[in-house]
């Protein structure tokens, strides 16, 4: 790969080796040896008259070596993952100083209110719904709109969840805002086309959400944004645990999120207080839902949505794509203090499966990293293997993800919600059996772990624990990758996905893969001093603290001791991928 073209004089070779040592000092001993040997082979039997030409030819290797080094600050355990994502996804370099990992629901809510009050030009929010008790949140939005004539509000919500019957529906809560600021408030509501035909008329409200929802969680104003898994309801602000990552002063990232929501709005209903003239618009409980596309039926948006989302990602990658040489510019302190963000859209019903690609890329390359041999040819010891932490409030791993976890050699620790921490615990009717249904899925998963010979033993294998905190429920989701069990993470997946069949096939999700450069990898050759003030190391430490905060409430999995009723098993078999 790095063989030299042309011939070199021995003096030239000496000078170049000095240059190589300066520019690729962080390269492995194997790589440096390869470069040295390559030069030595090409310098035999040379004449001085060819020295100038040889020098020019030799210098051609320097950009190649620099380009390879440009990925070296990415930890070896995830280097191929970052390179693979850079080839297919939009990418954003974000200063680590502008990122904050929040831990508690109250932090999230306080920051969200503060952002809304500070907004000058735009508020853009994507959530499943807004709860009926959120008068403080609505008042904050109203006050900002009242005091700033140029401020606009853009909301993207799920239609079925937001139009449940009754006075407390999200649509009815928002209607006064729309009436008060008709030119500055835009409310779009996505309806999953997975439910259509005669079933669309027969399935009652609330149950119709089982056929898919709009699930992306984005909370943005102007040029800052919070990416989360939380919805806008009182419990998510008080005692329902989730994840929340805040990005300040990021125009490109914020614009990506805004444009993504604008794209979704082209095949979403618009909330209105007056009747719409377009076909397929309709009135519901005193408000109107206008359909924007006269050429496409709302039940048949599959092709339109697929083209729109594919075109959107392609255009974003054209604007924000990365090449190998751009991952971390050698000697550029600004870039080395930045993390990489790769947005991944999962909309299985529209054949958009970027999350599946990203996770396949991740686990397959982690597996290769786990068994890579060191310079002496010995297998890496367990304490030097990568560690994966995975969590989901609705743990029922999508089967391909389960296969990836079980088939590789990387130790994986999983935190799921205990039945009491499941948001449906204590619900009436069929939904009250949902926690029991997840116990069944967990039992099946652990049986598969046992068959694969991956049961957790001596800090190796696959471990399942359950999150339980008195008076709280659990909604966190995501993945963290640490180069070794004792080091902080260098990669995390966060956003709206629950990593289950529902997220893969019928919900529409937006998540992000964040790659944090390894501070140690960017140190000069021979140095082992890692400054605790390194911005990227601070982010890694925050991610490590985030994992610890979640695992502090994790206890041994007790699902194997729980019984699952016969009719619950029947229901799980019927609903299949809806859980």
């Amino acid at each position: 790969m790095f063989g030299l073209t042309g011939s070199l004089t021995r003096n030239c070779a000496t000078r170049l080796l000095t240059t190589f040592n300066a520019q690729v000092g962080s390269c492995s001993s194997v790589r440096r040896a390869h470069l040295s040997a390559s030069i030595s082979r090409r310098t035999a039997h040379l004449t001085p008259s060819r020295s100038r030409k040889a020098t020019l030819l030799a210098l051609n290797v320097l950009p190649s070596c620099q380009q390879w080094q440009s990925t070296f600050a990415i930890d070896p355990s995830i280097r191929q993952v970052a390179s693979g994502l850079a080839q297919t996804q939009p990418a954003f370099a974000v200063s680590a100083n502008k990122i904050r990992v929040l831990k508690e629901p109250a932090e999230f809510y306080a920051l969200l209110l503060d952002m809304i009050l500070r907004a000058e030009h735009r508020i853009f929010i994507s959530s499943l719904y807004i709860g009926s008790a959120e008068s403080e949140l609505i008042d904050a939005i109203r006050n900002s709109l009242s005091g700033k004539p140029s401020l606009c509000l853009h909301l993207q919500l799920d239609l079925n969840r937001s139009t449940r019957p009754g006075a407390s529906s999200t649509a009815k809560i928002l209607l006064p805002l729309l009436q008060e600021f008709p030119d500055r408030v835009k409310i779009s509501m996505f309806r999953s086309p997975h439910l259509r035909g005669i079933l669309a008329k027969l399935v009652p409200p609330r149950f119709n959400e089982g056929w898919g929802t709009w699930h992306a969680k984005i909370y943005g104003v102007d040029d800052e944004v919070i990416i989360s898994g939380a919805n806008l309801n009182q419990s998510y602000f008080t005692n329902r645990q989730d994840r929340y990552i805040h990005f300040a002063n990021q125009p490109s990232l914020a614009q990506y999120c805004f444009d993504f929501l604008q794209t979704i709005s082209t095949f979403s209903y618009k909330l209105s207080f007056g009747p719409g003239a377009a076909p397929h618009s309709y009135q519901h409980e005193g408000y109107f839902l206008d359909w924007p596309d006269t050429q496409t039926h709302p039940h048949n948006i599959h092709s339109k949505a697929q083209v729109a989302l594919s075109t959107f990602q392609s255009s974003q990658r054209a604007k924000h794509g990365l090449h190998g040489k751009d991952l971390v510019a050698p000697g550029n302190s600004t870039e080395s203090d930045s993390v990489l963000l790769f947005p991944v859209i999962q909309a299985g019903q529209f054949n958009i499966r970027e999350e599946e690609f990203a996770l396949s890329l991740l686990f397959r390359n982690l597996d290769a990293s786990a068994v890579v041999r060191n310079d002496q040819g010995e297998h890496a010891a367990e304490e030097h293997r990568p560690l994966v932490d995975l969590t989901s409030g609705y743990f029922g791993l999508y089967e391909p993800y389960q296969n990836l976890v079980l088939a590789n050699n990387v130790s994986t620790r999983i935190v799921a919600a205990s039945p009491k921490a499941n948001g449906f615990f204590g619900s009436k009717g069929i939904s009250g059996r949902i926690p029991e249904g997840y116990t069944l899925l967990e039992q099946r998963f652990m049986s598969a772990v046992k068959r694969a010979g991956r049961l957790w033993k001596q800090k190796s294998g696959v471990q399942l624990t359950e999150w339980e905190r008195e008076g709280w429920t659990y909604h966190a989701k995501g993945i963290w990758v640490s180069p070794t069990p004792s080091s902080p993470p260098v990669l995390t997946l966060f956003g709206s996905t629950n990593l289950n069949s529902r997220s893969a096939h019928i919900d529409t999700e937006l998540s992000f893969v964040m790659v944090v450069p390894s501070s140690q990898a960017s140190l000069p050759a021979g140095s082992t001093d890692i400054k605790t003030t390194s911005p990227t190391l601070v982010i890694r430490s925050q991610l490590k603290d985030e994992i610890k905060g979640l695992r502090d409430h994790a206890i041994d999995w007790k699902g194997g001791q729980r019984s699952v009723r016969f009719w619950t098993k029947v229901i799980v078999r019927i609903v299949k991928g809806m859980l």
Side-chain angles (χ1 to χ4, degrees):
M1 177 177 180
F2 294 100
L4 304 183
T5 302
S7 300
L8 308 175
T9 66
R10 286 189 177 89
N11 289 337
C12 172
T14 301
R15 291 195 301 271
L16 281 174
L17 280 173
T18 302
T19 305
F20 288 155
N21 288 332
Q23 296 201 18
V24 296
S26 58
C27 294
S28 68
S29 58
V30 173
R31 179 57 61 185
R32 287 199 300 272
H34 172 73
L35 289 170
S36 300
S38 182
I39 291 173
S40 298
R41 286 195 303 271
R42 303 300 177 105
T43 56
H45 312 296
L46 297 181
T47 60
S49 63
R50 301 175 64 185
S51 62
R52 176 174 174 79
K53 179 181 179 182
T55 300
L56 294 174
L57 289 170
L59 289 175
N60 289 333
V61 79
L62 290 176
S64 298
C65 191
Q66 285 180 312
Q67 181 176 358
W68 181 81
Q69 188 202 13
S70 72
T71 64
F72 192 74
I74 305 299
D75 191 87
S77 63
I78 59 164
R79 187 182 301 151
Q80 295 303 317
V81 180
S83 296
L85 290 172
Q87 294 175 29
T88 62
Q89 303 303 123
F92 300 89
V94 178
S95 172
N97 289 317
K98 302 298 183 181
I99 304 172
R100 183 155 63 106
V101 181
L102 309 179
K103 295 181 182 179
E104 296 284 339
E107 284 185 275
F108 164 59
Y109 186 47
L111 179 56
L112 178 60
L113 289 178
D114 179 63
M115 289 169 58
I116 290 170
L117 294 176
R118 289 188 286 103
E120 293 291 338
H121 305 292
R122 63 184 181 184
I123 301 170
F124 51 100
I125 290 175
S126 169
S127 189
L128 182 65
Y129 68 104
I130 298 177
S132 59
E134 303 319 311
S135 57
E136 183 180 25
L137 178 65
I138 301 298
D139 287 344
I141 294 173
R142 178 179 287 106
N143 291 338
S144 281
L145 289 169
S146 297
K148 300 166 185 175
S150 63
L151 181 63
C152 294
L153 171 68
H154 303 266
L155 293 177
Q156 181 68 53
L157 305 167
D158 181 70
L159 186 142
N160 288 331
R161 183 64 179 85
S162 298
T163 59
R164 286 182 177 180
S168 61
S169 73
T170 299
K172 288 187 177 179
I173 292 170
L174 293 174
L175 199 60
L177 269 183
L178 189 59
Q179 293 170 326
E180 190 173 350
F181 307 99
D183 297 327
R184 294 193 286 137
V185 173
K186 311 296 180 185
I187 303 171
S188 298
M189 295 188 174
F190 172 86
R191 180 197 177 281
S192 171
H194 198 64
L195 180 63
R196 52 183 172 169
I198 190 65
L199 276 179
K201 297 180 180 180
L202 295 178
V203 177
R206 191 177 186 190
F207 291 97
N208 56 12
E209 299 161 31
W211 275 259
T213 62
W214 170 252
H215 206 240
K217 318 295 168 61
I218 302 168
Y219 304 106
V221 306
D222 297 335
D223 292 336
E224 66 180 302
V225 64
I226 299 172
I227 303 298
S228 180
N231 292 303
L232 298 178
N233 191 23
Q234 185 65 27
S235 63
Y236 290 94
F237 306 149
T238 54
N239 62 349
R240 186 157 172 76
Q241 184 65 56
D242 216 304
R243 298 183 67 195
Y244 335 84
I245 302 184
H246 175 239
F247 301 89
N249 192 26
Q250 298 301 317
S252 296
L253 176 63
Q255 190 62 43
Y256 171 89
C257 293
F258 180 81
D259 291 343
F260 173 65
L261 300 184
Q262 293 294 97
T263 299
I264 299 297
S265 72
T266 62
F267 45 90
S268 298
Y269 283 91
K270 317 296 180 188
L271 181 66
S272 173
F273 54 82
H280 315 303
S281 301
Y282 65 98
Q283 182 179 3
H284 181 69
E285 293 198 339
Y287 53 85
F288 295 86
L289 293 162
D290 297 338
W291 181 246
D293 186 351
T294 59
Q295 304 301 314
T296 308
H297 192 283
H299 294 183
N300 300 316
I301 63 171
H302 302 76
S303 295
K304 175 176 180 170
Q306 180 179 3
V307 170
L309 291 171
S310 298
T311 302
F312 170 74
Q313 285 292 74
S314 295
S315 66
Q316 290 293 322
R317 185 170 181 270
K319 289 190 288 186
H320 303 295
L322 286 180
H323 304 287
K325 64 182 180 180
D326 296 322
L327 288 177
V328 178
N332 187 327
S333 61
T334 300
E335 289 294 330
S336 63
D337 288 344
S338 295
V339 308
L340 296 177
L341 281 182
F342 299 98
V344 290
I345 300 172
Q346 183 74 11
Q349 61 183 321
F350 306 135
N351 201 31
I352 304 294
R353 299 185 176 273
E354 295 176 353
E355 177 192 304
E356 292 182 50
F357 166 77
L359 291 190
S360 177
L361 184 70
L362 173 64
F363 279 98
R364 294 184 190 284
N365 281 284
L366 283 178
D367 187 40
S369 173
V371 298
V372 70
R373 296 176 183 271
N374 60 21
D375 289 345
Q376 286 73 42
E378 298 173 356
H379 284 286
E382 190 63 42
E383 59 266 25
H384 298 302
R385 295 177 187 267
L387 172 68
V388 172
D389 282 283
L390 184 153
T391 192
S392 176
Y394 298 110
F395 181 73
L397 270 187
Y398 179 40
E399 187 173 356
Y401 300 166
Q402 174 177 303
N403 293 340
L404 289 168
V405 168
L406 298 183
N408 70 29
N409 293 291
V410 177
S411 294
T412 303
R413 304 185 302 183
I414 300 170
V415 178
S418 72
K420 288 184 178 179
N422 189 295
F424 291 93
F425 183 77
S427 295
K428 297 179 180 179
I430 293 178
S431 59
R433 290 181 181 256
I434 289 178
E436 195 176 316
Y438 280 103
T439 292
L440 178 62
L441 297 181
E442 292 165 9
Q443 291 173 350
R444 292 174 177 174
F445 173 75
M446 290 307 295
S447 294
V449 171
K450 184 176 181 179
R451 288 195 301 272
R454 297 294 316 282
L455 287 173
W456 187 260
K457 184 179 181 181
Q458 297 180 341
K459 298 182 179 181
S460 178
V462 177
Q463 179 193 54
L464 177 61
T465 56
E466 54 188 42
W467 192 94
E468 189 167 290
R469 185 177 178 183
E470 186 64 33
W472 285 59
T473 58
Y474 191 70
H475 199 249
K477 66 269 294 183
I479 294 173
W480 301 257
V481 176
S482 303
T484 69
S486 60
S487 59
V490 291
L491 178 148
T492 184
L493 170 76
F494 62 100
S496 65
T497 179
N498 283 308
L499 302 170
N500 54 21
S501 278
R502 182 183 178 88
S503 288
H505 290 308
I506 58 178
D507 285 346
T508 303
E509 312 278 10
L510 176 67
S511 300
F512 288 81
V513 176
M514 180 162 72
V515 174
V516 187
S518 172
S519 299
Q520 190 171 13
S522 60
L523 292 173
S527 174
T528 58
D529 179 33
I530 301 178
K531 296 182 179 179
T532 57
T533 55
S534 164
T536 54
L537 188 58
V538 170
I539 293 301
R540 292 179 63 194
S541 297
Q542 289 184 25
L543 292 172
K544 186 174 183 178
D545 290 344
E546 183 185 33
I547 298 170
K548 182 180 183 301
L550 297 177
R551 291 188 61 81
D552 280 347
H553 299 282
I555 60 177
D556 291 341
W557 179 68
K558 300 176 182 178
Q561 304 166 22
R562 300 183 181 109
S563 61
V564 178
R565 290 170 287 181
F566 171 78
W567 286 111
T568 299
K569 295 179 181 179
V570 172
I571 292 169
V572 169
R573 184 177 181 84
I574 292 172
V575 301
K576 293 182 181 178
M578 292 183 182
L579 287 177

